[in-house]
Amino acid sequence: KPITPWGAVPVLKLADGSQLAQARSVLRFVGRHTSLYPVEEPLLAQRVDELMDALEDLGATITNVGQGLPTKEEKEAARLVAVSEGGVVHDVLVRIDAFIEAHGDDGYAVGADLNIASILTFTTIGRLVGGVFVGVPSTVCDPFLNIQRVRKTVGSHPAVVAWYDARIEQQKSIDKLSPAEQILVGCRDM
């Protein structure tokens, strides 16, 4: 980390040796160069960015819940309240689900094709329900049908299936993947 541009990961190293940093910036860069970001459609691009920013807000919100509490149990309890109906994280999920309903189509988060908004939804929600945040049950997104549809659509996309199959082969077992990765792999069977 000390040698990365911002002292953090991820970093994308280019062929010329230069580095690109900051997760959303790198994701947009890759999206633009792989047709996964709608460069030619400014309104659709804005909706992609809007959802990506909301997903970043979701991550910050759940991270902040329970900060400063003295015990793991208290943090877990605070997060459970936050993800339950009426809780601050639950409210963000309600808004994300409604956004996907309004702006997504055919199992995608924004528009009717795979783009970086759907990919980020898939990974962010996978982290949320995959054990990264203590106290958040793996079933927290079950009531959100639009979010779940995106998870299944991205998780069963041939390129995503191939990626995780290669990860499993590399690790020699699905059990050697992180809990969040195991959740992401399971999305293909939702």
Side-chain angles (χ1 to χ4, degrees):
K1 289 184 187 181
I3 61 169
T4 65
W6 297 98
V9 292
V11 173
L12 176 64
K13 187 173 181 181
L14 301 178
D16 67 1
S18 62
Q19 296 180 343
L20 303 178
Q22 298 294 27
R24 305 301 174 269
S25 174
V26 170
L27 186 56
R28 285 183 184 98
F29 175 84
V30 171
R32 284 183 183 104
H33 292 280
T34 59
S35 301
L36 291 173
Y37 187 83
V39 176
E40 302 298 323
E41 298 179 62
L43 182 58
L44 190 61
Q46 189 284 330
R47 296 293 188 202
V48 166
D49 291 339
E50 186 177 350
L51 181 56
M52 289 174 55
D53 290 348
L55 290 163
E56 188 170 346
D57 291 346
L58 173 66
T61 301
I62 190 62
T63 298
N64 289 333
V65 170
Q67 290 288 42
L69 292 176
T71 68
K72 179 182 174 188
E73 291 76 21
E74 289 174 295
K75 184 181 232 178
E76 288 177 357
R79 286 193 171 155
L80 185 57
V81 168
V83 300
S84 298
E85 192 167 344
V88 63
V89 174
H90 186 272
D91 291 347
V92 175
L93 290 169
V94 166
R95 292 174 190 270
I96 289 171
D97 198 64
F99 183 92
I100 293 169
E101 182 173 21
H103 302 289
D105 190 25
D106 202 25
Y108 295 106
V110 177
D113 297 301
L114 182 65
N115 58 46
I116 59 175
S118 293
I119 294 167
L120 188 61
T121 300
F122 173 73
T123 57
T124 299
I125 300 301
R127 288 173 37 92
L128 179 67
V129 303
V132 173
F133 301 100
V134 297
V136 177
S138 63
T139 57
V140 71
C141 288
D142 288 359
F144 302 105
L145 300 181
N146 298 299
I147 291 172
Q148 294 295 75
R149 202 169 295 121
V150 171
R151 293 178 67 210
K152 176 163 181 52
T153 300
V154 174
S156 59
H157 188 280
V160 175
V161 169
W163 165 260
Y164 282 109
D165 285 350
R167 287 278 301 135
I168 293 166
E169 185 176 321
Q170 177 189 38
Q171 296 298 318
K172 308 289 188 228
S173 167
I174 192 170
D175 297 330
K176 296 208 174 162
L177 298 178
S178 72
E181 280 187 302
Q182 290 177 33
I183 292 279
L184 293 172
V185 169
C187 287
R188 65 178 85 167
D189 300 320
M190 291 177 71

